[in-house]
Amino acid sequence: MPAELSVGLVDPDAGPGSGADEPTDDAPGVGVVAPFDFALDRELWRWAPDDVSLYLTRLPFFTTPVTVEMAVAVGDRRAVRRATRDVLTPRPGVVAFACTSGSFVSGVAGEFVLRRTMVEAGAPEATTTSGALVDALHLLGVQNLAIATPYIAAVTQRLTGFLADSGISTVASEGLGLLGNIWRVGYEQVVSIVKAVDRPEADALFISCTNLPTYDIIEPLEQALGKPVITANQVTMWASLRAIGRQAVGGGRLLQIPVERSVA
């Protein structure tokens, strides 16, 4: 077979580490499993160091609006398993499920099942947006949280339940009530809803949904509100890079926490 036609073909019987072309790069990439409507690839890249690549794949398309039913469908184990396998070819060091609602809608147990599904599909490490959120909140010592979401009330309520089961109290929540096109929400509207939901008793604020742009407003919001501001894409990239011993690039108190590098 001509060499140019054999590129990308893999011996189906060859397991990880068995090929002569196994990468030896010291900076493994991050595999990202995203919903079909995810539109903020560029924002994820802004958090990645220059020598770390992102390998994104999409979950199957369907027409359901952004409801509880859609969130459940996005987290379907069979689809997540297939997408994880799709993104393993470049051998990422970790695979992230980059959807907040899809990883909290079935509770703490559902988030655990998602991570286990990715690992069983071959991911060397696995993270989810909602699991990363809980890890970040515990690391920051947050017990009382205010949350801003683009969702309808029923989806936001699933988030508050997930947080409660994870030991985090929601002191206030605001949702935009959107059923689609979330990526079209601009910074001004995000800032407005965050300021509206802040409460004195909130230790921090969380901006939910990986389809909401937040990269440039985290530090200004923290300065204005005087407390940590956590966002879905920020925490997804923070946890994913942390899993491979790397620091995310960007602002916010969460990113000021040093990453402990593992020693081989």
PDB file of all heavy atoms in Angstrom, residues 78-112:
ATOM      1  N   ARG A  78     -23.140   5.341  25.633  1.00  0.00           N
ATOM      2  CA  ARG A  78     -22.675   4.768  24.366  1.00  0.00           C
ATOM      3  C   ARG A  78     -22.035   5.832  23.491  1.00  0.00           C
ATOM      4  O   ARG A  78     -20.979   5.602  22.883  1.00  0.00           O
ATOM      5  CB  ARG A  78     -23.841   4.101  23.640  1.00  0.00           C
ATOM      6  CG  ARG A  78     -24.354   2.836  24.323  1.00  0.00           C
ATOM      7  CD  ARG A  78     -25.680   2.408  23.753  1.00  0.00           C
ATOM      8  NE  ARG A  78     -26.716   3.402  24.015  1.00  0.00           N
ATOM      9  CZ  ARG A  78     -27.990   3.291  23.646  1.00  0.00           C
ATOM     10  NH1 ARG A  78     -28.376   2.218  22.965  1.00  0.00           N
ATOM     11  NH2 ARG A  78     -28.867   4.229  23.923  1.00  0.00           N
ATOM     12  N   ALA A  79     -22.662   7.008  23.443  1.00  0.00           N
ATOM     13  CA  ALA A  79     -22.107   8.094  22.639  1.00  0.00           C
ATOM     14  C   ALA A  79     -20.787   8.589  23.218  1.00  0.00           C
ATOM     15  O   ALA A  79     -19.835   8.875  22.481  1.00  0.00           O
ATOM     16  CB  ALA A  79     -23.112   9.248  22.556  1.00  0.00           C
ATOM     17  N   VAL A  80     -20.723   8.682  24.542  1.00  0.00           N
ATOM     18  CA  VAL A  80     -19.481   9.138  25.187  1.00  0.00           C
ATOM     19  C   VAL A  80     -18.365   8.125  24.961  1.00  0.00           C
ATOM     20  O   VAL A  80     -17.203   8.490  24.717  1.00  0.00           O
ATOM     21  CB  VAL A  80     -19.721   9.375  26.688  1.00  0.00           C
ATOM     22  CG1 VAL A  80     -18.398   9.642  27.412  1.00  0.00           C
ATOM     23  CG2 VAL A  80     -20.680  10.548  26.896  1.00  0.00           C
ATOM     24  N   ARG A  81     -18.699   6.850  25.015  1.00  0.00           N
ATOM     25  CA  ARG A  81     -17.696   5.803  24.783  1.00  0.00           C
ATOM     26  C   ARG A  81     -17.127   5.904  23.370  1.00  0.00           C
ATOM     27  O   ARG A  81     -15.914   5.864  23.164  1.00  0.00           O
ATOM     28  CB  ARG A  81     -18.307   4.420  25.018  1.00  0.00           C
ATOM     29  CG  ARG A  81     -17.299   3.288  24.908  1.00  0.00           C
ATOM     30  CD  ARG A  81     -17.955   1.927  25.099  1.00  0.00           C
ATOM     31  NE  ARG A  81     -18.563   1.807  26.426  1.00  0.00           N
ATOM     32  CZ  ARG A  81     -19.871   1.765  26.660  1.00  0.00           C
ATOM     33  NH1 ARG A  81     -20.725   1.841  25.639  1.00  0.00           N
ATOM     34  NH2 ARG A  81     -20.345   1.658  27.871  1.00  0.00           N
ATOM     35  N   ARG A  82     -18.018   6.066  22.387  1.00  0.00           N
ATOM     36  CA  ARG A  82     -17.564   6.175  20.995  1.00  0.00           C
ATOM     37  C   ARG A  82     -16.710   7.414  20.785  1.00  0.00           C
ATOM     38  O   ARG A  82     -15.663   7.366  20.126  1.00  0.00           O
ATOM     39  CB  ARG A  82     -18.769   6.201  20.046  1.00  0.00           C
ATOM     40  CG  ARG A  82     -19.454   4.858  19.861  1.00  0.00           C
ATOM     41  CD  ARG A  82     -20.397   4.899  18.676  1.00  0.00           C
ATOM     42  NE  ARG A  82     -21.466   5.887  18.864  1.00  0.00           N
ATOM     43  CZ  ARG A  82     -22.645   5.613  19.403  1.00  0.00           C
ATOM     44  NH1 ARG A  82     -22.916   4.388  19.833  1.00  0.00           N
ATOM     45  NH2 ARG A  82     -23.558   6.548  19.524  1.00  0.00           N
ATOM     46  N   ALA A  83     -17.153   8.540  21.334  1.00  0.00           N
ATOM     47  CA  ALA A  83     -16.408   9.786  21.161  1.00  0.00           C
ATOM     48  C   ALA A  83     -15.036   9.710  21.819  1.00  0.00           C
ATOM     49  O   ALA A  83     -14.045  10.215  21.283  1.00  0.00           O
ATOM     50  CB  ALA A  83     -17.214  10.955  21.737  1.00  0.00           C
ATOM     51  N   THR A  84     -14.973   9.066  22.973  1.00  0.00           N
ATOM     52  CA  THR A  84     -13.686   8.898  23.647  1.00  0.00           C
ATOM     53  C   THR A  84     -12.730   8.093  22.789  1.00  0.00           C
ATOM     54  O   THR A  84     -11.558   8.465  22.607  1.00  0.00           O
ATOM     55  CB  THR A  84     -13.871   8.214  25.014  1.00  0.00           C
ATOM     56  OG1 THR A  84     -14.740   9.006  25.827  1.00  0.00           O
ATOM     57  CG2 THR A  84     -12.537   8.035  25.725  1.00  0.00           C
ATOM     58  N   ARG A  85     -13.219   7.002  22.233  1.00  0.00           N
ATOM     59  CA  ARG A  85     -12.375   6.183  21.365  1.00  0.00           C
ATOM     60  C   ARG A  85     -11.930   6.956  20.133  1.00  0.00           C
ATOM     61  O   ARG A  85     -10.799   6.817  19.661  1.00  0.00           O
ATOM     62  CB  ARG A  85     -13.119   4.911  20.968  1.00  0.00           C
ATOM     63  CG  ARG A  85     -13.272   3.923  22.125  1.00  0.00           C
ATOM     64  CD  ARG A  85     -14.150   2.749  21.761  1.00  0.00           C
ATOM     65  NE  ARG A  85     -14.220   1.772  22.848  1.00  0.00           N
ATOM     66  CZ  ARG A  85     -15.088   0.779  22.909  1.00  0.00           C
ATOM     67  NH1 ARG A  85     -15.981   0.627  21.933  1.00  0.00           N
ATOM     68  NH2 ARG A  85     -15.090  -0.054  23.928  1.00  0.00           N
ATOM     69  N   ASP A  86     -12.824   7.806  19.604  1.00  0.00           N
ATOM     70  CA  ASP A  86     -12.485   8.605  18.421  1.00  0.00           C
ATOM     71  C   ASP A  86     -11.307   9.536  18.683  1.00  0.00           C
ATOM     72  O   ASP A  86     -10.506   9.802  17.784  1.00  0.00           O
ATOM     73  CB  ASP A  86     -13.684   9.457  17.988  1.00  0.00           C
ATOM     74  CG  ASP A  86     -14.786   8.629  17.341  1.00  0.00           C
ATOM     75  OD1 ASP A  86     -14.524   7.469  16.975  1.00  0.00           O
ATOM     76  OD2 ASP A  86     -15.913   9.150  17.217  1.00  0.00           O
ATOM     77  N   VAL A  87     -11.218  10.047  19.911  1.00  0.00           N
ATOM     78  CA  VAL A  87     -10.218  11.075  20.197  1.00  0.00           C
ATOM     79  C   VAL A  87      -8.904  10.497  20.727  1.00  0.00           C
ATOM     80  O   VAL A  87      -7.965  11.233  21.013  1.00  0.00           O
ATOM     81  CB  VAL A  87     -10.814  12.107  21.204  1.00  0.00           C
ATOM     82  CG1 VAL A  87     -10.653  11.652  22.651  1.00  0.00           C
ATOM     83  CG2 VAL A  87     -10.216  13.489  20.998  1.00  0.00           C
ATOM     84  N   LEU A  88      -8.819   9.171  20.817  1.00  0.00           N
ATOM     85  CA  LEU A  88      -7.623   8.547  21.394  1.00  0.00           C
ATOM     86  C   LEU A  88      -6.467   8.369  20.407  1.00  0.00           C
ATOM     87  O   LEU A  88      -5.335   8.129  20.836  1.00  0.00           O
ATOM     88  CB  LEU A  88      -7.976   7.185  21.994  1.00  0.00           C
ATOM     89  CG  LEU A  88      -8.830   7.201  23.265  1.00  0.00           C
ATOM     90  CD1 LEU A  88      -9.124   5.778  23.710  1.00  0.00           C
ATOM     91  CD2 LEU A  88      -8.142   7.976  24.378  1.00  0.00           C
ATOM     92  N   THR A  89      -6.734   8.480  19.115  1.00  0.00           N
ATOM     93  CA  THR A  89      -5.685   8.218  18.129  1.00  0.00           C
ATOM     94  C   THR A  89      -4.418   9.053  18.349  1.00  0.00           C
ATOM     95  O   THR A  89      -3.308   8.515  18.305  1.00  0.00           O
ATOM     96  CB  THR A  89      -6.217   8.433  16.701  1.00  0.00           C
ATOM     97  OG1 THR A  89      -7.285   7.516  16.469  1.00  0.00           O
ATOM     98  CG2 THR A  89      -5.124   8.191  15.676  1.00  0.00           C
ATOM     99  N   PRO A  90      -4.499  10.363  18.618  1.00  0.00           N
ATOM    100  CA  PRO A  90      -3.280  11.137  18.872  1.00  0.00           C
ATOM    101  C   PRO A  90      -2.714  10.950  20.283  1.00  0.00           C
ATOM    102  O   PRO A  90      -1.790  11.645  20.678  1.00  0.00           O
ATOM    103  CB  PRO A  90      -3.723  12.578  18.629  1.00  0.00           C
ATOM    104  CG  PRO A  90      -5.176  12.579  18.927  1.00  0.00           C
ATOM    105  CD  PRO A  90      -5.694  11.229  18.506  1.00  0.00           C
ATOM    106  N   ARG A  91      -3.279  10.011  21.025  1.00  0.00           N
ATOM    107  CA  ARG A  91      -2.799   9.632  22.357  1.00  0.00           C
ATOM    108  C   ARG A  91      -2.727  10.806  23.356  1.00  0.00           C
ATOM    109  O   ARG A  91      -1.648  11.147  23.848  1.00  0.00           O
ATOM    110  CB  ARG A  91      -1.437   8.943  22.251  1.00  0.00           C
ATOM    111  CG  ARG A  91      -1.523   7.666  21.428  1.00  0.00           C
ATOM    112  CD  ARG A  91      -0.228   6.901  21.466  1.00  0.00           C
ATOM    113  NE  ARG A  91      -0.335   5.719  20.592  1.00  0.00           N
ATOM    114  CZ  ARG A  91      -0.295   4.478  21.025  1.00  0.00           C
ATOM    115  NH1 ARG A  91      -0.172   4.235  22.298  1.00  0.00           N
ATOM    116  NH2 ARG A  91      -0.378   3.479  20.184  1.00  0.00           N
ATOM    117  N   PRO A  92      -3.859  11.403  23.655  1.00  0.00           N
ATOM    118  CA  PRO A  92      -3.876  12.460  24.672  1.00  0.00           C
ATOM    119  C   PRO A  92      -3.544  11.894  26.046  1.00  0.00           C
ATOM    120  O   PRO A  92      -3.755  10.701  26.303  1.00  0.00           O
ATOM    121  CB  PRO A  92      -5.321  12.970  24.625  1.00  0.00           C
ATOM    122  CG  PRO A  92      -6.113  11.782  24.155  1.00  0.00           C
ATOM    123  CD  PRO A  92      -5.209  11.082  23.172  1.00  0.00           C
ATOM    124  N   GLY A  93      -3.059  12.745  26.928  1.00  0.00           N
ATOM    125  CA  GLY A  93      -2.761  12.312  28.284  1.00  0.00           C
ATOM    126  C   GLY A  93      -3.978  12.285  29.176  1.00  0.00           C
ATOM    127  O   GLY A  93      -3.962  11.688  30.258  1.00  0.00           O
ATOM    128  N   VAL A  94      -5.058  12.931  28.724  1.00  0.00           N
ATOM    129  CA  VAL A  94      -6.306  12.992  29.481  1.00  0.00           C
ATOM    130  C   VAL A  94      -7.423  13.260  28.485  1.00  0.00           C
ATOM    131  O   VAL A  94      -7.197  13.875  27.438  1.00  0.00           O
ATOM    132  CB  VAL A  94      -6.245  14.111  30.556  1.00  0.00           C
ATOM    133  CG1 VAL A  94      -6.033  15.478  29.923  1.00  0.00           C
ATOM    134  CG2 VAL A  94      -7.493  14.128  31.429  1.00  0.00           C
ATOM    135  N   VAL A  95      -8.626  12.796  28.813  1.00  0.00           N
ATOM    136  CA  VAL A  95      -9.808  13.107  28.004  1.00  0.00           C
ATOM    137  C   VAL A  95     -10.818  13.814  28.894  1.00  0.00           C
ATOM    138  O   VAL A  95     -11.124  13.339  29.999  1.00  0.00           O
ATOM    139  CB  VAL A  95     -10.441  11.845  27.384  1.00  0.00           C
ATOM    140  CG1 VAL A  95     -11.708  12.208  26.608  1.00  0.00           C
ATOM    141  CG2 VAL A  95      -9.449  11.141  26.464  1.00  0.00           C
ATOM    142  N   ALA A  96     -11.315  14.954  28.422  1.00  0.00           N
ATOM    143  CA  ALA A  96     -12.273  15.749  29.188  1.00  0.00           C
ATOM    144  C   ALA A  96     -13.643  15.710  28.540  1.00  0.00           C
ATOM    145  O   ALA A  96     -13.763  15.866  27.317  1.00  0.00           O
ATOM    146  CB  ALA A  96     -11.796  17.192  29.283  1.00  0.00           C
ATOM    147  N   PHE A  97     -14.668  15.516  29.346  1.00  0.00           N
ATOM    148  CA  PHE A  97     -16.052  15.644  28.895  1.00  0.00           C
ATOM    149  C   PHE A  97     -16.448  17.089  29.148  1.00  0.00           C
ATOM    150  O   PHE A  97     -16.694  17.490  30.294  1.00  0.00           O
ATOM    151  CB  PHE A  97     -16.949  14.686  29.669  1.00  0.00           C
ATOM    152  CG  PHE A  97     -18.404  14.741  29.259  1.00  0.00           C
ATOM    153  CD1 PHE A  97     -18.853  14.065  28.137  1.00  0.00           C
ATOM    154  CD2 PHE A  97     -19.311  15.463  30.004  1.00  0.00           C
ATOM    155  CE1 PHE A  97     -20.189  14.111  27.765  1.00  0.00           C
ATOM    156  CE2 PHE A  97     -20.653  15.515  29.651  1.00  0.00           C
ATOM    157  CZ  PHE A  97     -21.091  14.841  28.521  1.00  0.00           C
ATOM    158  N   ALA A  98     -16.478  17.898  28.080  1.00  0.00           N
ATOM    159  CA  ALA A  98     -16.620  19.344  28.216  1.00  0.00           C
ATOM    160  C   ALA A  98     -18.075  19.783  28.082  1.00  0.00           C
ATOM    161  O   ALA A  98     -18.454  20.478  27.135  1.00  0.00           O
ATOM    162  CB  ALA A  98     -15.745  20.049  27.191  1.00  0.00           C
ATOM    163  N   CYS A  99     -18.875  19.380  29.018  1.00  0.00           N
ATOM    164  CA  CYS A  99     -20.274  19.816  29.063  1.00  0.00           C
ATOM    165  C   CYS A  99     -20.700  19.843  30.525  1.00  0.00           C
ATOM    166  O   CYS A  99     -20.608  18.820  31.208  1.00  0.00           O
ATOM    167  CB  CYS A  99     -21.166  18.868  28.267  1.00  0.00           C
ATOM    168  SG  CYS A  99     -22.918  19.327  28.304  1.00  0.00           S
ATOM    169  N   THR A 100     -21.161  20.985  30.979  1.00  0.00           N
ATOM    170  CA  THR A 100     -21.555  21.102  32.382  1.00  0.00           C
ATOM    171  C   THR A 100     -22.856  20.348  32.648  1.00  0.00           C
ATOM    172  O   THR A 100     -22.919  19.461  33.486  1.00  0.00           O
ATOM    173  CB  THR A 100     -21.726  22.579  32.787  1.00  0.00           C
ATOM    174  OG1 THR A 100     -20.782  23.390  32.117  1.00  0.00           O
ATOM    175  CG2 THR A 100     -21.540  22.737  34.282  1.00  0.00           C
ATOM    176  N   SER A 101     -23.912  20.693  31.913  1.00  0.00           N
ATOM    177  CA  SER A 101     -25.216  20.082  32.191  1.00  0.00           C
ATOM    178  C   SER A 101     -25.194  18.576  31.959  1.00  0.00           C
ATOM    179  O   SER A 101     -25.793  17.815  32.723  1.00  0.00           O
ATOM    180  CB  SER A 101     -26.303  20.729  31.335  1.00  0.00           C
ATOM    181  OG  SER A 101     -26.041  20.555  29.956  1.00  0.00           O
ATOM    182  N   GLY A 102     -24.487  18.137  30.926  1.00  0.00           N
ATOM    183  CA  GLY A 102     -24.424  16.714  30.648  1.00  0.00           C
ATOM    184  C   GLY A 102     -23.703  15.924  31.715  1.00  0.00           C
ATOM    185  O   GLY A 102     -23.898  14.706  31.837  1.00  0.00           O
ATOM    186  N   SER A 103     -22.882  16.605  32.516  1.00  0.00           N
ATOM    187  CA  SER A 103     -22.148  15.901  33.572  1.00  0.00           C
ATOM    188  C   SER A 103     -22.734  16.100  34.963  1.00  0.00           C
ATOM    189  O   SER A 103     -22.325  15.417  35.902  1.00  0.00           O
ATOM    190  CB  SER A 103     -20.666  16.306  33.555  1.00  0.00           C
ATOM    191  OG  SER A 103     -20.485  17.712  33.614  1.00  0.00           O
ATOM    192  N   PHE A 104     -23.723  17.005  35.124  1.00  0.00           N
ATOM    193  CA  PHE A 104     -24.372  17.119  36.437  1.00  0.00           C
ATOM    194  C   PHE A 104     -25.806  16.617  36.447  1.00  0.00           C
ATOM    195  O   PHE A 104     -26.391  16.375  37.504  1.00  0.00           O
ATOM    196  CB  PHE A 104     -24.316  18.549  36.992  1.00  0.00           C
ATOM    197  CG  PHE A 104     -25.142  19.592  36.280  1.00  0.00           C
ATOM    198  CD1 PHE A 104     -26.524  19.505  36.171  1.00  0.00           C
ATOM    199  CD2 PHE A 104     -24.530  20.725  35.732  1.00  0.00           C
ATOM    200  CE1 PHE A 104     -27.284  20.487  35.542  1.00  0.00           C
ATOM    201  CE2 PHE A 104     -25.270  21.706  35.091  1.00  0.00           C
ATOM    202  CZ  PHE A 104     -26.657  21.587  34.998  1.00  0.00           C
ATOM    203  N   VAL A 105     -26.421  16.450  35.254  1.00  0.00           N
ATOM    204  CA  VAL A 105     -27.857  16.204  35.186  1.00  0.00           C
ATOM    205  C   VAL A 105     -28.270  14.904  35.874  1.00  0.00           C
ATOM    206  O   VAL A 105     -29.385  14.802  36.405  1.00  0.00           O
ATOM    207  CB  VAL A 105     -28.329  16.214  33.718  1.00  0.00           C
ATOM    208  CG1 VAL A 105     -27.797  14.999  32.954  1.00  0.00           C
ATOM    209  CG2 VAL A 105     -29.848  16.282  33.631  1.00  0.00           C
ATOM    210  N   SER A 106     -27.387  13.916  35.906  1.00  0.00           N
ATOM    211  CA  SER A 106     -27.715  12.635  36.543  1.00  0.00           C
ATOM    212  C   SER A 106     -27.077  12.496  37.918  1.00  0.00           C
ATOM    213  O   SER A 106     -26.937  11.385  38.431  1.00  0.00           O
ATOM    214  CB  SER A 106     -27.282  11.478  35.634  1.00  0.00           C
ATOM    215  OG  SER A 106     -28.004  11.513  34.419  1.00  0.00           O
ATOM    216  N   GLY A 107     -26.707  13.616  38.508  1.00  0.00           N
ATOM    217  CA  GLY A 107     -26.199  13.603  39.865  1.00  0.00           C
ATOM    218  C   GLY A 107     -24.755  13.164  39.987  1.00  0.00           C
ATOM    219  O   GLY A 107     -24.045  12.962  38.999  1.00  0.00           O
ATOM    220  N   VAL A 108     -24.322  13.025  41.226  1.00  0.00           N
ATOM    221  CA  VAL A 108     -22.947  12.633  41.520  1.00  0.00           C
ATOM    222  C   VAL A 108     -22.643  11.256  40.940  1.00  0.00           C
ATOM    223  O   VAL A 108     -21.573  11.028  40.365  1.00  0.00           O
ATOM    224  CB  VAL A 108     -22.699  12.662  43.039  1.00  0.00           C
ATOM    225  CG1 VAL A 108     -21.347  12.066  43.382  1.00  0.00           C
ATOM    226  CG2 VAL A 108     -22.796  14.091  43.562  1.00  0.00           C
ATOM    227  N   ALA A 109     -23.583  10.349  41.061  1.00  0.00           N
ATOM    228  CA  ALA A 109     -23.374   9.001  40.520  1.00  0.00           C
ATOM    229  C   ALA A 109     -23.227   9.042  39.007  1.00  0.00           C
ATOM    230  O   ALA A 109     -22.392   8.339  38.423  1.00  0.00           O
ATOM    231  CB  ALA A 109     -24.523   8.086  40.917  1.00  0.00           C
ATOM    232  N   GLY A 110     -24.028   9.872  38.348  1.00  0.00           N
ATOM    233  CA  GLY A 110     -23.955   9.986  36.898  1.00  0.00           C
ATOM    234  C   GLY A 110     -22.623  10.549  36.442  1.00  0.00           C
ATOM    235  O   GLY A 110     -22.065  10.108  35.420  1.00  0.00           O
ATOM    236  N   GLU A 111     -22.091  11.520  37.182  1.00  0.00           N
ATOM    237  CA  GLU A 111     -20.779  12.089  36.832  1.00  0.00           C
ATOM    238  C   GLU A 111     -19.692  11.041  36.973  1.00  0.00           C
ATOM    239  O   GLU A 111     -18.791  10.935  36.128  1.00  0.00           O
ATOM    240  CB  GLU A 111     -20.493  13.301  37.733  1.00  0.00           C
ATOM    241  CG  GLU A 111     -19.304  14.148  37.310  1.00  0.00           C
ATOM    242  CD  GLU A 111     -17.967  13.584  37.767  1.00  0.00           C
ATOM    243  OE1 GLU A 111     -17.949  12.907  38.830  1.00  0.00           O
ATOM    244  OE2 GLU A 111     -16.933  13.807  37.096  1.00  0.00           O
ATOM    245  N   PHE A 112     -19.788  10.236  38.024  1.00  0.00           N
ATOM    246  CA  PHE A 112     -18.815   9.159  38.217  1.00  0.00           C
ATOM    247  C   PHE A 112     -18.875   8.154  37.071  1.00  0.00           C
ATOM    248  O   PHE A 112     -17.843   7.697  36.562  1.00  0.00           O
ATOM    249  CB  PHE A 112     -19.073   8.452  39.551  1.00  0.00           C
ATOM    250  CG  PHE A 112     -18.244   7.212  39.744  1.00  0.00           C
ATOM    251  CD1 PHE A 112     -16.918   7.301  40.128  1.00  0.00           C
ATOM    252  CD2 PHE A 112     -18.788   5.952  39.513  1.00  0.00           C
ATOM    253  CE1 PHE A 112     -16.150   6.154  40.290  1.00  0.00           C
ATOM    254  CE2 PHE A 112     -18.033   4.810  39.669  1.00  0.00           C
ATOM    255  CZ  PHE A 112     -16.703   4.912  40.063  1.00  0.00           C
TER     256      PHE A 112
END
